[in-house]
Each structure stands twice: as C-alpha cells, then as structure tokens.
Amino acid sequence: MTEPSPAPSSRVGWRRAATVIFSLGILALALRGLANEFDDHGYRAIRDAFHQLGAGQIALTVVLGLASYACLIGFDAIGLRRSGKRLHPARVGITAFLAHTLGQTLGFAALTGGAVRLRGYGGAGLTLAEIGQVVLMSTLGFMFGAWLLLSLAFLLEPGAAALALPVSAQAVRVLGAAGLLAYLGTVLLVGREGRSFQIRGHALWLPDRRTMLGVTVLSVVELVLASAAFYVLLPMDTPTGLPGFVGLYLVAVLAGLISSVPAGLGVFEWSLLKLLPQVAPAAVLAAALIYRVTYYVLPLLLATVLGVAPALRKPLRVSAGATRAGWTALRPWLPQIIALAVFSVGAALVIDGTLPTPRRHLLHASLPVLETSHLIGSLAGVVLLLIGQGLQRRSHAAWMLALAICVIAPLPIWLRGGQVLIALASVLVAAALWASRREFYRQGALLDEAWSWPWIRNLGLVLVAVIWLLFFVYSHVEYQNELWWQFAAQGNAPRALRALLVVAIALAIFGLARLLHSTRTPLPSADAATLDALGPILADAQDTQACLVLTADKAVLRDDAQRGFVMMQRYGGSLIAMGDPVGPPEVARALIWRFREEADRLGLRPVFYQVGEAYWQTYLDLGLTLVKLGEEAMVPLQGFTLEGRERADLRQAWNRGKRGGLSFRVATPAEVPALMPALAAVSQQWLDEKAGDEKGFSLGSFDPVYLARFPVAVVEAEGRIVAFANLWQAPAGQELSVDLMRHVDDAPKGTMDFLFIELFLWGSANGFQRFSLGMAPLSGLAQHRLAGRWNRFANVVARHGERFYGFSGLRRFKSKFAPVWRARYLAAPGGMHLPAALLDATRLISLDPRRGKNEAPVR
C-alpha cells in the first residue's frame, strides 16, 4: 500500500490567521478613512440624509436589486446549457440564487458559490467538471461585463474617473478606447470553439464567441441594474450620470473584492467617497446603508423564507414537481442559510445597542427598563454571533438557544426603542428555526464546536465595526470615567459604552470557557452484560487489539445484526475509535460510516486511532486524512524454535533465565483470581518504581475483573511471582499478544526477555501463527528530505523526545526478536483538526481508565 499523503502542517493555520488579520486591518483602515470625512456630528448628518430618502427611491432600489439577482441566475442557466444537462427550473433557480446570495454576502464568491452549486447540482447528477463550467460562466461573466462597462465609462464619461485617478480626462478616454479594442480583439481571437491562453505558465480557457458575447450582454445588464440600484439613492443633483457612475461603482466593487473583506464592507463605501467628491459624504453613506440592506440583507431574508415555506407544508406530494425540486435543492443548505441569518440578527442587535435611542421613545421609557433592555439586547446579539457556527454544523443545543433568543429578542428591542425591522427579522428567523427543527439533530456541546477561520474573521469584522461605530457616533462626547456609571434617559453614550462592555465580557467568558473546557463527560462505558455478549464476535476476530474492548472504559457501537462493533470514547472535540471496527469486512466498512454518522450526531470530529491498512480506502472516502503513527512488531511463530545461528541471542537469554532459577507457566482464567493478591503486589511495585499512573483506552490497567477474563503468563523465581502478563488471543486470526506487563524491581536481569521467549514457544506449541509485540510509536517514518510535513515533524519529535519516552530504545528492544513490521495510522479530518485529534487521543490515553465503568452502556 502506498502511504497516504500527510495532512497540512500548522503553517496553513498561520496563513489563515494572517488572512484574518489582514481583513481586519483593511476594514479598520477603511473605517478610519470614512471617519476622517466627517466632523464631530457625522452621525447626525448621515441620519438626516437617511430621512431625506423617499419611499419611492427605496422601492425602486429593491426592484432593481432583485432584477440584478435574476440576471445572475442566468449565468447558471448558460453554464448548464453548455454541459448538456437539463435540470428542473426550480432547482436551478434556487441553487443559483443561494449561490449568489451567499457568495455576495460572505465574499470569495467563486469558492462560496461553488460549494453551494457542488451540493445543489451534484445531487442532480452533474460531475465536478460540469459544475466547474457553471462556476466559470459566472466568473467570466462578471469579468467580461466589468471589462466592457469600465471601458465604455472611461470612453464616454472620462471626467468622472479623472476626478479620482491621477491622470487627465484625455488619458482616461485613451484607456477606455484601449480596453474596448482589447475586448473586441479577444472576441475575435476566441473563435467559434473557444481558446486557451497561457499567462505566466497558467492556462486560461475562454468560451466560444457566441457564449462570450451572451454572458457579456447578461453581465452588462446585471451590473447596470446593480449600479442603478445604488444610483437612484443618490441626491438628484449628483453631477455624474448613470453611465459614468457605472464605472465608478465597478471600481469600488473591485476594491472591495481585492480587500478580501466580506461584501467589501467599509472598503466599498470609502472608495465611493473618494470617487464622488462632489457628493456630500453623508448622502453617500446613507445611500450605501440602504443599498446594503436591500442588496445583501433582503436576499438573505428571502432565502430564509424559501427555507421556511416548504417546511411548513405537509409532506410533499409526488405531483408537486416544482415544490419538490426546490425543496430538494434547498434543504441541504438550510443550516448554512439559517446560521447566516442568525449571525446577521446578532450583528444587528449589537450594532443597534450602539446607536442612540430615539427621542420619541425617551419621553415614555422608564429608565430602569431602558437600561436593562439595552444590556439584554446587546447580550442576546453577542450570543447569536457566538452560536451561529453551531447552527451551521446542525447543533441541537445551538438551535434551542437561538430559537429562544430570537423569540424573546423583539421585547428588549421594543423596550429600548430599537429598529422595528430588526424585531421583524428576529421573528422571521425564529419561524425558520422552528420550521427546520429536524435539520438540527447533532447532540454536541457548544463549547466543543471547533471554530473555523472564516467564522472567526466574520466575528472580528463585526466587533471592529461596532467599536468604530461607537467612537464615530459619539465623537462629539468627551470621554470621562464618569460616563460608565452615568444613568440618565438622555445618556446614550454611557449606555453604548456599557453595552460594549457587556459584549466584551461575554466574549471573554466564552473564550475562557472554551479554553478550560478541554474535556467533556465520557460516553457511558459498556457493562459486563454487553461485554459478555461480544464473546462470539471476539472469537472470530483477526486482530488481538479487539480484546481492548474488555477493559470496560469504552462505549460500544454495534451494527444492527450484532456481527461487529466499534469501541470508542469521546474527549474534547473528538469521538475516538480504538483501531479498526471488529467484524467481517463488509460489516466493518458499514460500521466506519455509522461511526462517522454518530460523530456527526454528537457534533464531534471522527477519529480512528491505530488503524491498519485493511480499510484505508474507506477512511479516505469519509474525507479523513491518514498519517502514520508508527509500526507494529509481529513475530512469526510457525515453527518457532531457539535452534540455529540467527536465534543465538535469544537462546542465550533463555538459558540465562533458566540458570537464574526462572520458571514459566500460563494460568487459566479460572486460576487467576487466586493469584490476584500476588499480581497486585507486583503491579503496585512496578507502578511505584516507574512513578507513573495507569493508562487507559489503548492500554489495559490493573483491574481484577479485566484480568480474570484472560489467561495470565507468570514468571516465578524461587516460588515467587516476579513478572506477569495477561494474554490476548485471536484464534480466528491465529494471533497472540500481551497487554499488561509488570515485573518487580528485584527480578533477575533478563526476566522480560525470558518471558517473551517462553510466550513465543507457548504460542507456537498452541498453534498460533504470529505474536504482536505492540506498536513502536513514530518509527518507520520516511526520512527523505522531500518527505511530507507530518513525517518531518514526527521525526523531529522522535529525535528530540528520546530522553522522555525512548522511541528508538523501544524499537531496538522489539527488533531483537526479528519481527515483521506493519504500519499503524491515525485517520482524522485534516488541516487544524489533525493536531487537535492527536492531542485529544493522547489525553484520553492518559486519563484514569476506571471512570464511567458503573454507567449504562451505549448501544
């Protein structure tokens, strides 16, 4: 078997962290630039400009924005037509709408929208290449449309661009003409079949002329509609016409895309301020606020409504073709849509807590109610921000908490005089949560949810925006310590400061709780009756590692036919299986998938510890990464003797033990209880000498009930037991091994060598074919300079950790028995999950193995 590729190192995590920091820095700089455009009363000016916008302008913006989204759906239709696949229009419309909605809101539209299409169209039978065609049409469409529109804008209205660019109007006109000629040249070059170009070693494929012109026309219409949706919100005396504004709008959009900030937040607005110096900054930002709500938030709410509507119906009839197709396309994305909606409501609640309370409300509000509702609303907002990712991962606990907050949130919003639209959005999200309750089934603790870098970035962006908004809105208020405890109906600034403090405290508590919550209550261990019922399965086991289930510190997951099982336990954010599933191959493969489903239900990462090579393809099919943990030493026993030159060292060790008065025997399970006091004394002395504690999960511990299930090999000197080991047997696989090995400190030198040699001889005489000496950790890894990151890292650990564990010494000890080495792997999710899985497995092994033994089993 070829060794699987290693997982990415932590360097990937640092790159992602750097990307998050870069996005936060860009947003902070853009917001600082926005603030510099206003005096101390900038918020009041923006509020006045907002009130001057008419209902007709807002309605027209909504219509133009939705028409723009309708054009975006057309790109998917063109891509699907090229693939030759015909899908139900409802599936195409919903999938495309979701792809563009999430892509526009979260940023990285090609990746985000591509993931939506992969699930939406992949379920309809499209291949990855065909879905790539759809994504490419959308990307090329924007590129061609922006290219053509910018060229035309520079050519027809160069004055608008000349105000922002450090060139003359004539130079702008020349740039526009050159861009237009370049586009026409590209149309001629692609021909009727399309063409591939090489740009610095990278291949770029362009579609045929007809398709290129089609997506260009569609893109031009879409971009004009999107820019017109913003333009109608600007003052009537704006000197730049719509053709010129289209070019400026595209420049601002491109600046937002380059910044990597989701939806170009802050960067888009700052760019427009610079590109429209003749328009009042307050009017530009007021228009930008309405545009953000209508072009980003409204489609997200519509997507949420799409999720609610089918779920509120009775089970779909076969005849309801469009509804069924739409629901089929939408259902896989419900958790993501609702998570984003919950996050948006949380952000709105936190932002609303920063804004001043309307004067009309202050006349009727009770001060204690006003202060309390203000803090509760902000606290509810930050909780929704924190649990949004749990909803994305279908956490039932996150669903219950989000539903409760969204139902209760309208009350504090009303009491503190907040925005009515936020309250309505909260009610809508609550309805969506209730309608899709069956989608949130994972029984995982919120503190155990692993956070993704994009979610951390989005949370950071909200916090940066809220802090900036606080200083921007109250820039006219001079800071004093007395503001913190100033309580008055007109005290908007103190209330906003206290709300921000509540948000900061909630974040700190949540972060500390996650840091300290390194483990969780273990799964209930299998009881004696359950273990006894596993006897027939263990009798057919091929690997002695299956005997670890009898340590009774693990839960057991069995198949429906009771032909196999997985022994497992949870720690931290991982559900860890010990070794491969036990049972026939077809049962084991089914149990691997069932274990994955159980991990998903519990909200944990699936981890398989010390697996072999039999099922590596199934682990890869699960999307797991395989990394080599070490190699297991297998001593062939067939015809094993001490004769011959190659056995000279073993023969000398055996003779030395005999001369030292050592004797060997195997006690049957019925004889073990009588030996237990002597065995306990040997075990305790061994533990005292090693100054260590019992281990668990992958190792047995000294437990009388556990030991009494196996034969025990003992070595005696002068009638006293000086060493022992319990024997694991896999008769079906003809494999023999030991688990618990203990000896006294005054045992004759070479006692353990004598014990193993006698075990080899006993195993050979009793028909066993091989003897497992267990795994040598971090051994057998590739040493080449081009080896993967995991191999290089593990080799460094093995080399520098020798003084603490003795990696090379353990392998040398096992090598003298001339074993055959076989690899053992860890199968776990890749990326940053891999080191977390290794850490969880290591800590689980170090825990007290006797915990949870008196609890009920898991079946």
Side-chain angles (χ1 to χ4, degrees), residues 96-120:
F97 180 72
L98 293 180
H100 289 290
T101 299
L102 297 180
Q104 300 272 25
T105 305
L106 299 178
F108 304 104
L111 296 177
T112 308
V116 175
R117 294 181 180 95
L118 183 61
R119 183 172 293 185

Side-chain angles (χ1 to χ4, degrees), residues 752-753 756 773 808-817:
M752 298 309 292
D753 288 346
F756 278 114
L773 292 172
S808 61
L810 181 60
R811 181 167 180 109
R812 283 196 303 271
F813 172 79
K814 296 181 179 183
S815 295
K816 66 185 179 182
F817 300 111

Side-chain angles (χ1 to χ4, degrees), residues 72-208:
L72 290 173
I73 296 175
F75 291 121
D76 284 52
I78 294 175
L80 290 170
R81 185 187 64 190
R82 284 186 56 83
S83 69
K85 295 294 181 68
R86 296 180 60 86
L87 301 182
H88 197 287
R91 176 182 284 275
V92 177
I94 289 178
T95 301
F97 180 72
L98 293 180
H100 289 290
T101 299
L102 297 180
Q104 300 272 25
T105 305
L106 299 178
F108 304 104
L111 296 177
T112 308
V116 175
R117 294 181 180 95
L118 183 61
R119 183 172 293 185
Y121 297 144
L126 267 71
T127 65
L128 189 61
E130 292 168 340
I131 297 173
Q133 283 274 353
V134 178
V135 177
L136 182 63
M137 285 302 104
S138 181
T139 304
L140 290 179
F142 172 80
M143 184 177 71
F144 291 144
W147 182 357
L148 183 59
L149 283 175
L150 277 174
S151 300
L152 290 174
F154 287 176
L155 184 64
L156 299 178
E157 288 203 25
L163 294 174
L165 300 176
V167 293
S168 64
Q170 187 62 31
V172 172
R173 192 185 298 275
V174 172
L175 288 175
L180 186 59
L181 290 175
Y183 175 81
L184 294 176
T186 304
V187 173
L188 295 176
L189 284 175
V190 296
R192 295 183 178 181
E193 303 296 332
R195 189 180 297 272
S196 294
F197 298 90
Q198 290 289 333
I199 302 177
R200 294 185 178 181
H202 298 281
L204 174 63
W205 176 84
L206 296 180
D208 59 274

